[in-house]
Amino acid sequence: MSEACDIVEFGPFRLDTGRRSLTRDGKPVTLSSRAFDILALLVEHRDRVMTKDDIITQVWRGVVVEENNLAVQVSALRRALGEAELGTPLILTVPGQGYRFVGHVDAPGSPQVEPPVPPAPPPEPSRDAAMPQPPAPPRRWPMPAAFGVALIAMLIAVAGLFLPLRVERPPTPPGAPRLSIAVLPFRDLSDDRCCAYLADAVSDDLTTDLSHIPGSVVIARESSDMYRNKSLPTAQIGHALNVRYLLEGSLRAVEGQFSINAQLIEAATGAHLWAERFTVPRAHLGEAQDDIVHRLASALGVTLTDIEGTAAARERGGKSDALDLFLQARSILDHSDTLIAMTEAQHLLEQAVAKQPDFADALAELAWLLPRKASIVDPDADADIAEARRVVTDALRVAPNAPLALAARGALLTYEDKCDEARASYDAALAVDPDNTAARIGSTVCLTKLGEFAAVVKNVQQLLRSDPENPNNKVRYYQLGFAEIMLDQPQAALDSLTKSLAGDAEPVPGAEEGGRLEWSHLMRIAAMAMSGDDTGARAAYERFNRVWPYRSVWRLGAKFTRHQVALPAFKKVADAIAAAGMPRAFDETIDLGVAPTTQLRNHPLYAPTPVSIPSAGTITTRDLRARLAGGGAIRVVNMGVQAVRLPGTSACDFDPQTPADLAACVAMLRAGSGPVVVMGANPMDWQGYDGALALANSGVTGVLWFRGGAEAWALAGGPYQDGRLQ
């Protein structure tokens, strides 16, 4: 401090850095040398958070010490200041950053010598007096003067009564972080006050769990604990702790259960933004504590992100900063994992990173999003994966040990079919944060591909415990049901798949292809049949076929990995679906009488194709086998499932709707010789039809369309390589 500011006063304390003394109500407060230096430093820089490194550097001056030495000194300093008695913290812990002095400094004094204290001092004059004390009055006052003095005294007294009210309700400071929250001590309302320890444990664990929300600032438990059993206005607490939100709650033990109430409050206004009320069994206290904490933290994480994301869009609009954009993206992803939602969130995250290139949370979130987006029906998959490689590198450079960045690297490796390497990355993320949702989700995907379904069940159950209120839990229940049916546990699978579909509207033709909804219905049909409910399974399949027609058991089986197909339960699942009514395969010679101009053409991946194609020839399975057996030079362009790779396949891969892709394939084929056989998955797959038509219309000679496709070839016993993943 400068010489002019050697003395400051806050509350009952007077800090004199020149004399290195601290007094409370005129009495000395004993502090160690280090504790005094920390206090002086925090008071001097009270306008900002002092990082732990800065404090250690300036207080220990070159001496190498462990960080816990600082924590010990700060704890001792808090005890010496008597924060618990004051009912409000003076030193605020900012998790992951450092400490900040938040006591109100009245006015710095100038260096001065303390006057001697007389043996019997008169009452100290009020600091609020605007004038010096008047001389002693005469023995009697004239009536008007006496009335005036009495009136002034009454006004001063009334003002004195209301002055504390103005001090007690300050607004939340505009500098409060946008995603800042304090968890106030939960109250034990049990009749016998039996469970105060559990209420404290819930408060403590919630503080820790909420600090994992990206972009959040959660006040440390020791600071929030100052408000235990204190009825103070929310604005006063929010001002003192410098937060926007307060979480308060209670716990009551009632007849073998714990009843939980919790409310999220906007500190400045006292408005209730969210409330939750539920019960958990009382039998196992450890499990009860985990259930309470995870349920509250899970719901609050989504709620806080929604509130701040909406506020950012409303309050700042086109002037949104990086954090605003990040929160808006998180809010979208918390509620939807469709291609549209992912694309919208991707654009917001890219804007956030453009505004702040070292924004670790935004980089990690974008890196985690891109491989997942590319793994669904994504027309921009190649571009997304190229961007993902760059963003993953940037995220790990900025934050090498960030769990989400490590999970993002795992997701990229998973997309590249490198699950063994991906698992190591997921394990590294979980070593840093055992409850990291992204890492556990990614690990579940890899375990599913590898057919390790017992581990999948364990993983998903952990996800449902640690994040029970996640809006995407429908996907997790599907993953759980799929794992259970592959473990030959159809009854358990039926329960999980029913939960996955709970609340969904009945699907109609045009519903998302190949997504969670379709596969949940399909596996539920298999579970019903495997459980002995043949009638229910057939009825369910009839409804399924109206929405997703022209499926075959073989085509669906081609989407399983090699590890999954090797499990005994795979055949049981396939047989159950066939028993419910799905055809095992389609005959390539059958003419379904459907022209390409019908409404079914709007299902380009799964509508039935005609038996011939303009501008190109056709070839049957028998003729194709004969040509290959005769050693003819045939180039095969496989536009369908990759589970079947014929000899000479993949002469070129292209999207018929992308001119550049088509041009590259045409140039390659023109440079070679021999017939060009174009195939899809089966007679219901328009990709082979469209590919053959596009090549023929581009001037490629000798184009032959193999209508039966991969399905007919495999069923006929033709030679091929299994191109399934893993």
Side-chain angles (χ1 to χ4, degrees), residues 19-276:
R19 294 172 174 269
R20 293 185 63 81
S21 68
L22 176 70
T23 59
R24 177 174 182 172
D25 295 327
K27 298 179 181 179
V29 177
T30 302
L31 289 177
S32 69
S33 175
R34 301 290 189 197
F36 184 92
D37 289 342
I38 292 170
L39 176 61
L41 186 65
L42 293 175
V43 170
E44 181 179 2
H45 298 284
R46 57 188 176 274
D47 59 330
R48 64 184 179 91
V49 175
M50 289 292 292
T51 68
K52 295 177 181 179
D53 287 343
D54 285 345
I55 297 173
I56 290 172
T57 299
Q58 296 188 48
V59 171
W60 275 267
R61 299 185 181 278
V63 178
V64 179
V65 297
E66 296 292 336
E67 187 176 290
N68 63 343
N69 287 348
L70 173 59
V72 170
Q73 292 293 340
V74 170
S75 180
L77 179 56
R78 286 189 167 116
R79 287 195 300 273
L81 293 173
E83 286 187 341
E85 302 168 27
L86 294 173
T88 183
L90 297 173
I91 299 172
L92 191 66
T93 301
V94 182
Q97 298 183 49
Y99 300 93
R100 182 180 179 184
F101 182 85
V102 293
H104 177 68
V105 176
D106 292 329
S110 301
Q112 55 183 299
V113 178
E114 295 285 347
V117 180
E124 184 179 349
S126 169
R127 289 184 184 175
D128 294 329
M131 300 281 293
Q133 291 292 316
R139 185 167 298 180
R140 292 186 179 180
W141 290 84
M143 183 60 69
F147 176 78
V149 171
L151 178 61
I152 292 172
M154 181 178 71
L155 291 175
I156 292 174
V158 171
L161 289 174
F162 283 97
L163 182 59
L165 295 180
R166 293 196 299 271
V167 173
E168 288 176 0
R169 297 191 64 83
T172 301
R178 273 168 279 177
L179 205 60
S180 53
I181 183 171
V183 180
L184 300 180
F186 270 51
R187 293 168 294 158
D188 175 23
L189 301 182
S190 306
D191 292 338
D192 56 359
R193 297 296 186 268
C194 65
C195 304
Y197 66 93
L198 182 59
D200 286 347
V202 167
S203 305
D204 198 35
D205 288 354
L206 264 177
T207 299
T208 301
D209 280 19
L210 292 179
S211 67
H212 294 162
I213 301 173
S216 66
V217 176
V218 184
I219 299 305
R221 166 75 187 284
E222 54 195 357
S223 295
S224 299
D225 205 44
M226 298 298 101
Y227 296 96
R228 181 185 299 276
N229 300 325
K230 295 215 170 21
S231 298
L232 297 174
T234 59
Q236 179 179 345
I237 300 174
H239 181 81
L241 296 178
N242 197 36
V243 294
R244 287 193 173 199
Y245 307 107
L246 302 172
L247 177 69
E248 65 177 19
S250 63
L251 176 152
R252 183 192 300 272
V254 181
E255 297 180 355
Q257 292 183 322
F258 290 114
S259 177
I260 312 300
N261 283 278
Q263 301 87 34
L264 179 67
I265 302 169
E266 185 177 46
T269 65
H272 283 63
L273 305 175
W274 168 90
E276 181 77 5

Side-chain angles (χ1 to χ4, degrees), residues 264-519:
L264 179 67
I265 302 169
E266 185 177 46
T269 65
H272 283 63
L273 305 175
W274 168 90
E276 181 77 5
R277 182 176 184 178
F278 59 93
T279 60
V280 297
R282 185 178 177 180
H284 302 288
L285 291 181
E287 293 179 7
Q289 178 182 333
D290 287 345
D291 286 348
I292 294 167
V293 171
H294 290 322
R295 184 162 179 178
L296 289 174
S298 176
L300 269 170
V302 175
T303 300
L304 282 170
T305 303
D306 281 351
I307 291 171
E308 284 297 328
T310 302
R314 182 182 66 250
E315 296 170 6
R316 287 174 283 282
K319 297 181 181 179
S320 298
D321 63 14
L323 181 58
D324 293 334
L325 295 164
F326 169 75
L327 292 172
Q328 291 173 47
R330 278 293 310 276
S331 181
I332 291 169
L333 294 174
D334 278 342
H335 293 280
S336 178
D337 60 353
T338 64
L339 180 61
I340 294 174
M342 288 184 173
T343 302
E344 184 179 357
Q346 176 185 350
H347 292 161
L348 291 167
L349 291 168
E350 288 169 344
Q351 292 175 55
V353 172
K355 287 178 178 288
Q356 188 177 331
D358 62 346
F359 190 173
D361 287 334
L363 281 167
E365 192 72 46
L366 180 58
W368 167 245
L369 166 67
L370 290 169
R372 292 184 298 135
K373 177 171 175 268
S375 67
I376 60 178
V377 184
D378 177 12
D380 300 320
D382 291 343
D384 285 343
I385 289 301
E387 183 181 1
R389 292 191 181 100
R390 176 182 58 78
V391 177
V392 165
T393 300
D394 288 345
L396 290 170
R397 173 182 52 79
V398 173
N401 296 315
L404 187 57
L406 292 167
R409 182 174 64 186
L412 181 58
L413 291 167
T414 301
Y415 180 86
E416 295 171 341
D417 197 25
K418 300 175 181 176
C419 261
D420 289 333
E421 296 178 49
R423 289 175 72 179
S425 197
Y426 294 135
D427 289 345
L430 291 170
V432 178
D433 177 11
D435 289 327
N436 185 264
T437 300
R440 204 164 288 281
I441 289 172
S443 176
T444 299
V445 171
C446 265
L447 291 168
T448 300
K449 286 187 173 186
L450 295 171
E452 298 182 21
F453 288 110
V456 170
V457 169
K458 183 178 179 180
N459 237 20
V460 176
Q461 288 175 341
Q462 174 63 26
L463 275 169
L464 292 170
R465 281 194 300 269
S466 63
D467 196 13
E469 301 298 317
N470 193 297
N472 289 323
N473 275 349
K474 286 178 175 292
V475 175
R476 293 169 194 170
Y477 277 115
Y478 161 70
Q479 292 172 320
L480 181 60
F482 181 65
E484 289 166 337
I485 201 169
M486 293 301 289
L487 291 170
D488 201 8
Q489 301 170 2
Q491 198 58 51
L494 189 59
D495 180 59
S496 297
L497 293 164
T498 300
K499 290 178 181 176
S500 174
L501 294 168
D504 286 333
E506 189 69 20
V508 296
E512 182 185 3
E513 308 280 358
R516 186 268 311 173
L517 192 61
E518 178 184 352
W519 279 87

Side-chain angles (χ1 to χ4, degrees), residues 501-681:
L501 294 168
D504 286 333
E506 189 69 20
V508 296
E512 182 185 3
E513 308 280 358
R516 186 268 311 173
L517 192 61
E518 178 184 352
W519 279 87
S520 289
H521 277 285
L522 183 64
M523 290 298 108
R524 186 169 178 271
I525 291 168
M528 293 169 72
M530 292 169 67
S531 299
D533 184 6
D534 295 335
T535 302
R538 284 193 292 270
Y541 173 71
E542 289 178 6
R543 294 192 297 272
F544 177 93
N545 193 47
R546 286 195 292 268
V547 180
W548 295 287
Y550 313 115
R551 304 303 197 257
S552 71
V553 175
W554 186 91
R555 173 74 185 274
L556 293 168
K559 297 180 180 297
F560 285 63
T561 69
R562 292 198 300 270
H563 292 289
Q564 294 167 355
V565 169
L567 296 174
F570 171 76
K571 185 176 185 306
K572 291 185 178 182
V573 171
D575 290 346
I577 296 172
M582 182 178 287
R584 289 187 179 273
F586 286 106
D587 184 345
E588 65 181 302
T589 65
I590 294 178
D591 184 358
L592 298 177
V594 180
T597 56
T598 64
Q599 185 178 4
L600 289 175
R601 184 64 176 87
N602 294 329
H603 290 259
L605 297 181
Y606 301 110
T609 59
V611 293
S612 62
I613 184 170
S615 309
T618 59
I619 189 169
T620 65
T621 304
R622 184 181 62 184
D623 291 341
L624 180 58
R625 292 191 68 178
R627 290 204 182 201
L628 289 173
I634 295 178
R635 294 167 292 170
V636 180
V637 178
N638 189 351
M639 305 288 292
V641 295
Q642 297 301 305
V644 171
R645 296 182 183 274
L646 274 66
T649 192
S650 300
C652 57
D653 293 320
F654 70 99
D655 178 358
Q657 307 302 320
T658 304
D661 281 4
L662 176 59
C665 191
V666 168
M668 179 184 296
L669 293 172
R670 282 178 175 171
S673 60
V676 176
V677 175
V678 184
M679 60 186 281

Side-chain angles (χ1 to χ4, degrees), residues 675-701:
V676 176
V677 175
V678 184
M679 60 186 281
N682 63 14
M684 311 303 151
D685 183 2
W686 283 89
Q687 290 184 91
Y689 179 96
D690 289 343
L693 186 62
L695 292 174
N697 289 340
S698 298
V700 177
T701 58

